[in-house]
Structure formats: C-alpha cells, structure tokens
Amino acid sequence: MNGLAKTSAVDTLQLRGVDTQRFVQKIGVVSSDIMKSIVTVIAIVIEYE
C-alpha cells in the first residue's frame, strides 16, 4: 500500500529534530487518515495544546 519493501511502523515516542535537507527522496506514502493519526499522537507526546 505505501510503496515500501517491507512492513514498517511509526514510533512516535522516538521523536527528534531532523534537518529537512536530509530528505533526499520519497520512499513511501501513507493515507491522510494515517497521517492525521500520527500527527495526533505526536501532539499528545509533546503535550501540544
């Protein structure tokens, strides 16, 4: 579904800053529903109101 070669997961507890220049090529995609879930959980982890 997402274009990756193997099953993958997002670990929202392993957050860190990343320089956007490190993003050289796109290797996969997620649906907007999954992305909304990821954003929601990250907001909870960083206690964003």
Side-chain angles (χ1 to χ4, degrees):
M1 177 178 107
N2 61 14
L4 298 177
K6 60 182 180 177
T7 303
S8 301
V10 174
D11 185 352
T12 55
L13 295 177
Q14 297 293 318
L15 296 175
R16 67 181 184 132
V18 176
D19 185 351
T20 56
Q21 292 181 7
R22 294 186 65 195
F23 296 114
V24 178
Q25 68 182 39
K26 186 177 184 177
I27 60 172
V29 296
V30 295
S31 69
S32 61
D33 289 337
I34 292 173
M35 185 56 77
K36 286 178 188 174
S37 296
I38 293 168
V39 169
T40 299
V41 174
I42 289 173
I44 292 168
V45 168
I46 65 171
E47 299 178 352
Y48 181 78
E49 295 183 20

